[in-house]
Amino acid sequence: MPDTSKTGLVITAHPGDFVWRAGGAIALHAARGYRMKIVCLSYGERGESQFAWKTAGVRLEDVKAQRREEAERAAAILGAEIEFFDAGDYPLRVTEEILDRTVDIYREWKPSFVLTHALADPYNFDHPAAAHLAQEARIVAQAAGHKPDPNRAYAAPPVFCFEPHQPEQCGFQPNVILNITEVWETKRKAFEVLAAQKHLWEYYTRVALNRGVQGGRNSGRPMTYGEAYQRLFPDVVQELG
Amino acid sequence: MPDTSKTGLVITAHPGDFVWRAGGAIALHAARGYRMKIVCLSYGERGESQFAWKTAGVRLEDVKAQRREEAERAAAILGAEIEFFDAGDYPLRVTEEILDRTVDIYREWKPSFVLTHALADPYNFDHPAAAHLAQEARIVAQAAGHKPDPNRAYAAPPVFCFEPHQPEQCGFQPNVILNITEVWETKRKAFEVLAAQKHLWEYYTRVALNRGVQGGRNSGRPMTYGEAYQRLFPDVVQELG
Amino acid sequence: MPDTSKTGLVITAHPGDFVWRAGGAIALHAARGYRMKIVCLSYGERGESQFAWKTAGVRLEDVKAQRREEAERAAAILGAEIEFFDAGDYPLRVTEEILDRTVDIYREWKPSFVLTHALADPYNFDHPAAAHLAQEARIVAQAAGHKPDPNRAYAAPPVFCFEPHQPEQCGFQPNVILNITEVWETKRKAFEVLAAQKHLWEYYTRVALNRGVQGGRNSGRPMTYGEAYQRLFPDVVQELG
Amino acid sequence: MPDTSKTGLVITAHPGDFVWRAGGAIALHAARGYRMKIVCLSYGERGESQFAWKTAGVRLEDVKAQRREEAERAAAILGAEIEFFDAGDYPLRVTEEILDRTVDIYREWKPSFVLTHALADPYNFDHPAAAHLAQEARIVAQAAGHKPDPNRAYAAPPVFCFEPHQPEQCGFQPNVILNITEVWETKRKAFEVLAAQKHLWEYYTRVALNRGVQGGRNSGRPMTYGEAYQRLFPDVVQELG
Amino acid sequence: MPDTSKTGLVITAHPGDFVWRAGGAIALHAARGYRMKIVCLSYGERGESQFAWKTAGVRLEDVKAQRREEAERAAAILGAEIEFFDAGDYPLRVTEEILDRTVDIYREWKPSFVLTHALADPYNFDHPAAAHLAQEARIVAQAAGHKPDPNRAYAAPPVFCFEPHQPEQCGFQPNVILNITEVWETKRKAFEVLAAQKHLWEYYTRVALNRGVQGGRNSGRPMTYGEAYQRLFPDVVQELG
Amino acid sequence: MPDTSKTGLVITAHPGDFVWRAGGAIALHAARGYRMKIVCLSYGERGESQFAWKTAGVRLEDVKAQRREEAERAAAILGAEIEFFDAGDYPLRVTEEILDRTVDIYREWKPSFVLTHALADPYNFDHPAAAHLAQEARIVAQAAGHKPDPNRAYAAPPVFCFEPHQPEQCGFQPNVILNITEVWETKRKAFEVLAAQKHLWEYYTRVALNRGVQGGRNSGRPMTYGEAYQRLFPDVVQELG
């Protein structure tokens, strides 16, 4: 069980999400010694695997296995553990068992931060379902009477929403830009695992470059590649400068 | 199965909704050759049938039958097919079976546009439940792995929310005004099927006249009767003028 | 059954909520002859009883009994009846039976006003769950076909959200400040029943004093202690002055 | 100088505004003994007098005189005093002298409430200019060092925005509905003074009827004619029921 | 004077703005026969000419002349007329004379649509100043008593805000995506006139590609290059499909 | 001229504002070696000096001198320089000269952060006027052509809005909580300079304690006294944990 180093937790609906949206943050923190864990609620088997379904007669289990294998490879490139919940997609339905397991993960990992989807996404309801789980499990993990243990120490971590595909349509309000320049090549390598989605490689490379320009503008210090996040809870600080 | 002409799909919680809120759009597009289909999730049997319940001892089944008959007549006047899901009202509960059937309808009809309720309504939770179904089914219908068929072509249609009873209390932000002047008499005839709700005939006639004035102001071209809609997704255009 | 006097209804997720957030309103209206009823959805047994769980081996039933006893004492001090639904907490799950019972309460009590949680609370999902129940039951109670009775008279009451712990994080927009100065000592006595949460006594005393200052500023009349509320539906008035 | 009775103050950009939007409130409070005062910032001479300008060669002064006379007649019918500032329209420009005079009026009248425009109106920038003046003068009137007088007593009154022509486009969020049924005939008579705007007579009659229906729905008590307002500051109350 | 063909009007604070943000729309409509006119409020001489100011001793007039020449070349490439108001930048101050001239332009051009900045931009206050002018002049142009002429016909056109540099920070809510693929090479050529801002060539190429992808997703029809706009007033339509 | 150490800049409308709202941040950063500068736009002589005006015949200049002396003492206690602009209050009017001087200060001080008012305050229009100046000067300071100097280096600093008196009424959305516990005694001493506003000493002590509790909740680390801020631009970071 991880308990000595810093850790980060990523809760996503589908495999592509953690690559396109948070791959830089995962690789960056992994490179700095954080233990990073990805919870992937589904394999994206029905709604994010168009290519696979072009083969007539392909079976759901095959698609799931193929997407799982890809996700594992991408996670490995980024330097993260990955756990799958096989909750289904299109629609993704979160059960009480999934909530329970997620609470346990919060308590075991005691993450320094959590990354998940934006709270709304009219193009994809699996995304807010994952974000809701990330938030509800974070809350339940604080309940002393849930699997009580008087010796447990746990504090709810900050939550950062990663960027949805069409940010303005999702009410996404980026208030943090993370400099991912030093791990860009790693993120790009993880892109390349998702061989069937080449058009998204370029899309998200452009997103990273433009967020990088914005990061430079907002800080006065040059940045090449960035990832945008929306921090949900106030940042508690000892200094403003 | 409709497959050659243009089509429109309307997803409503109760029978009155498609008449008061979208009757003009239905009649107008029907008149222009669109095949129009209404999905009516309930009969409004418990919460929108006050008159019927004034008779002591009336049975739920009788109320449902009476409202169904009315709804069918109103749909016929407007020129639309209607399908009922009998999902109950006050509260309306959407099941996985209902979602599944709605996905099928999206795929069969390939609508050019979808009309449904506003996303919030603090006076009536059946309304956002219907809107949520309309959105979720639209998303699931895109999933290649849901009832896979490599030959299927499907693109998610634009969604327009029709006007709730108290628009400002529902966060309704009209950004489209449809000129329904040429079909006003048809809409009004559909009103008259709803004989127990005469007070609403006048209310929604006034709404239509005032939306018409607003349509005239916003376009510089006179309009007598209008219906207001909130388009949820960006309008993709080839020209602005 | 209460039927002659004015009444007020309070729907809360956990026992502390009605004390910290609405204790002044309860005591004030009780003092003025309103029959006040609290519906307490859970005992706060898992998530709001940290102190109790510090004892190794304590049983859930014991914690529930202890919190119930406290809640009953606090309600008695404030002058209200209390009914528990034992719906669990962290997470609180509202069932159809709970909805049904709440509808009955609305109809029996015909409250002049309802107090409940804010519509969002990213720190505690039990709170919006309770608020959702308060709203949904209020709507269903209007349905003539739900347990039909042609002789029933019922009008949906105004709803006021009480103040969450971190108001700006919950989208709480106070638009009513209630002067609770004359019942402050009663509210404070109810605080003291919650012996394990002494730090909150002072927190909510400060909240009451600062809302009092704001009440004074907004009215031009001095106020010492106040409670802030967000009225959800338009106020219908015969005069503005 | 009014100093013994209750008073109300109305600050509008153009003459029509106080008739269409607040005529009911003016007549109602006048009927109840309030001294009502209208501050009309312009005569609407350039932008709200289309009819007058259809005569070739008409002079600005003539249009102003004609609109002033109409406004005086309408104010008299409603039972209010009226003062004109001749600030121009399309665009209306508020000067420091106008601010100064408005501050004096607040202090002399000590209104129980103030009625003015919504804070935004993308169709008419004179409207938010008037609302800004109403708010700024209300603030300056509180400054002890503005025309100091140690004996002065003054408390800033509540502000209510009246309904703009296209409420949803102006961010207008009605949270108060005033029952104007008993003075409807008076309001309608004031309409008729504005002989060149007959189309608006019917528009605002429909608005009043529909706001009346909404007032009935929100209160459970029948209402025929209503006016919607947005209260800007919290309502400070001694009781919620 | 243009009076027979369709026209479009673009109101921008600085020269770069019409190129990066609206160059596609200008070129596209010009290509379709619209007469396009750009009103450029300043030369961007102080705040958008960093490169020029790197030469010690350069004079303001020289910078203005250089930027003017560039803007004229870019406008010519796009196929538009351009008029400069020399209102200064950083800060841009709109005078009554500028307003008056802009009103005249609206009346002369009778544009089918107007393009301008987003309503807010915390990075650049010249932008909302230009947008405010575009809106105010559009309103004043409707006033019959402003330079009265009983024979004048004029209707206020729809307004579209073009995309700011950091859209989410400006409250920019794109609800229209314009397909500019067929004029992309022209827009790109106009980029290249702005030789000192090569880094923005690539930034806005990426923006156009990503808006193109979004246009494709929202329409179900492929698009390569897009421009995002926010329509401010309701779209008045005769059909939804 | 400060040029070697870190600096912070505070731009406020009236003297009390920097004490109540930002006194902790000023003292904290001063204690850590930042050079802190306060720009105080007025003396609060008319609107924030009720006590002084209770003396009949007191002169404006005397009130200004007295408030200035207090403000200087408070600034000295907090460890900051202070500069007054004597722009007047109720209403405060920002001139081009004031903007020009503020731009110079930004460039001279090159602050690491800027503190100012919330962007809206319906109770006090001087506050948003000061915030607007803080933002506009920050923008103009970036313009290479404003007092050009090819050797100048300048980057726009982050801006934090401090807490208004009634945060929810001002749209204040705190997203940063600063721990000011270690300088609380200094802040409290600065309170005591404002001898005529004793009631606010207690009000803002309660605010600081409650923000401290919230800081503890959001971080999981105890905090006694806090100040809430709203960061306006994205935070650019190298790590999330």
Side-chain angles (χ1 to χ4, degrees), chain B residues 14-158:
Chain B
H14 315 108
D17 296 324
F18 71 80
V19 179
W20 314 121
R21 311 184 193 297
I26 297 169
L28 182 71
H29 290 85
R32 297 199 179 165
Y34 283 68
R35 290 195 60 178
M36 296 300 299
K37 166 143 192 165
I38 299 162
V39 168
C40 193
L41 296 182
S42 80
Y43 303 107
E45 62 267 21
R46 304 205 311 161
E48 315 250 311
S49 306
Q50 285 85 332
F51 189 81
W53 293 104
K54 288 190 177 151
T55 309
V58 69
R59 294 178 318 155
L60 186 65
E61 288 316 302
D62 296 339
V63 177
K64 287 163 73 167
Q66 170 189 331
R67 298 305 313 276
R68 179 185 178 119
E69 188 274 338
E70 270 180 22
E72 285 172 338
R73 266 196 294 144
I77 288 169
L78 296 171
E81 279 189 30
I82 188 163
E83 178 170 341
F84 298 94
F85 283 0
D86 198 8
D89 73 329
Y90 287 71
L92 185 159
R93 299 293 186 223
V94 172
T95 62
E96 295 293 323
E97 291 65 36
I98 286 174
L99 173 60
D100 188 74
R101 173 66 191 135
T102 311
V103 171
D104 287 350
I105 292 171
Y106 268 93
R107 288 176 167 183
E108 290 164 11
W109 280 74
K110 297 181 177 55
S112 301
F113 61 87
V114 175
L115 309 181
T116 192
H117 291 270
L119 304 188
D121 189 340
Y123 296 95
N124 193 319
F125 282 8
D126 295 354
H127 293 169
H132 192 272
L133 169 68
Q135 290 206 284
E136 187 163 57
R138 176 181 175 273
I139 292 166
V140 173
Q142 294 177 285
H146 175 87
K147 303 184 183 172
D149 173 357
N151 299 317
R152 185 173 46 233
Y154 173 78

Side-chain angles (χ1 to χ4, degrees), chain D residues 184-204:
Chain D
W184 173 253
E185 287 309 317
T186 308
K187 179 168 181 174
R188 180 75 194 199
K189 280 203 194 84
F191 279 15
E192 294 171 9
V193 171
L194 305 172
Q197 294 170 288
K198 268 200 176 159
H199 60 294
L200 290 178
W201 301 4
E202 299 315 315
Y203 187 88
Y204 284 104

Side-chain angles (χ1 to χ4, degrees), chain D residues 88-104:
Chain D
D89 73 329
Y90 287 71
L92 186 160
R93 299 293 186 222
V94 173
T95 62
E96 295 292 324
E97 290 67 37
I98 286 174
L99 174 59
D100 188 76
R101 174 63 192 137
T102 311
V103 171
D104 287 350

Side-chain angles (χ1 to χ4, degrees), chain D residues 30-47:
Chain D
R32 297 197 179 165
Y34 284 68
R35 291 195 60 178
M36 296 300 298
K37 166 145 193 163
I38 299 162
V39 168
C40 192
L41 295 182
S42 80
Y43 303 106
E45 61 268 19
R46 304 204 313 160

Side-chain angles (χ1 to χ4, degrees), chain A residues 123 165-169 172-174 200 203 206-207 209-211 213-214 217-218, chain E residues 123 165-169 172-174 200 203 206-207 209-211 213-214 217-218:
Chain A
Y123 296 95
H165 191 67
Q166 297 187 53
E168 301 98 340
Q169 308 303 324
F172 181 70
Q173 190 58 34
L200 289 178
Y203 187 89
R206 292 189 298 262
V207 167
L209 285 164
N210 281 13
R211 292 300 185 191
V213 172
Q214 294 175 10
R217 286 246 178 152
N218 281 287
Chain E
Y123 296 95
H165 192 66
Q166 297 186 53
E168 300 99 340
Q169 308 303 323
F172 181 70
Q173 191 58 35
L200 290 178
Y203 187 88
R206 292 189 298 261
V207 167
L209 285 163
N210 282 13
R211 292 300 185 191
V213 172
Q214 294 174 11
R217 287 247 179 152
N218 281 287

Side-chain angles (χ1 to χ4, degrees), chain E:
Chain E
M1 272 306 90
D3 60 13
T4 56
S5 61
K6 282 188 168 181
T7 62
L9 178 60
V10 185
I11 298 182
T12 65
H14 316 108
D17 296 325
F18 71 79
V19 179
W20 313 122
R21 310 183 195 297
I26 298 169
L28 182 71
H29 291 84
R32 298 201 178 163
Y34 283 69
R35 291 195 60 179
M36 296 298 300
K37 167 147 192 161
I38 299 161
V39 168
C40 192
L41 295 182
S42 81
Y43 303 106
E45 61 267 19
R46 304 205 314 161
E48 314 251 310
S49 307
Q50 285 84 332
F51 189 80
W53 292 103
K54 288 191 176 150
T55 309
V58 69
R59 294 179 317 158
L60 186 65
E61 288 315 303
D62 296 339
V63 178
K64 287 163 74 168
Q66 172 190 327
R67 298 305 313 277
R68 179 185 178 120
E69 187 275 335
E70 269 180 25
E72 286 172 338
R73 266 196 293 144
I77 288 169
L78 297 171
E81 278 190 32
I82 188 163
E83 178 170 341
F84 299 94
F85 283 179
D86 198 9
D89 72 329
Y90 287 73
L92 186 160
R93 298 292 186 224
V94 172
T95 61
E96 295 292 324
E97 290 67 36
I98 286 174
L99 174 60
D100 187 74
R101 173 64 192 137
T102 310
V103 171
D104 287 350
I105 292 171
Y106 268 93
R107 288 176 166 183
E108 290 164 9
W109 281 74
K110 296 181 178 55
S112 300
F113 60 88
V114 176
L115 309 181
T116 192
H117 291 270
L119 303 188
D121 189 338
Y123 296 95
N124 194 318
F125 282 8
D126 295 355
H127 294 169
H132 191 271
L133 169 67
Q135 291 205 286
E136 187 164 57
R138 175 182 175 275
I139 292 166
V140 173
Q142 294 176 285
H146 174 88
K147 303 184 182 173
D149 174 357
N151 299 316
R152 184 173 48 231
Y154 173 78
V159 180
F160 297 87
C161 298
F162 40 66
E163 177 165 351
H165 192 66
Q166 297 186 53
E168 300 99 340
Q169 308 303 323
C170 301
F172 181 70
Q173 191 58 35
N175 51 21
V176 171
I177 298 178
L178 178 69
N179 187 348
I180 61 163
T181 307
E182 71 186 71
V183 294
W184 173 252
E185 287 309 316
T186 307
K187 179 167 182 177
R188 179 76 194 199
K189 278 202 196 85
F191 278 15
E192 293 171 11
V193 171
L194 305 171
Q197 295 171 289
K198 269 199 175 159
H199 59 294
L200 290 178
W201 301 5
E202 299 314 316
Y203 187 88
Y204 283 105
T205 298
R206 292 189 298 261
V207 167
L209 285 163
N210 282 13
R211 292 300 185 191
V213 172
Q214 294 174 11
R217 287 247 179 152
N218 281 287
S219 65
R221 294 183 298 276
M223 180 188 301
T224 307
Y225 295 97
E227 273 176 355
Y229 289 92
Q230 180 172 351
R231 173 188 266 279
L232 293 187
F233 298 98
D235 195 11
V236 180
V237 301
Q238 308 297 318
E239 193 168 325
L240 298 172

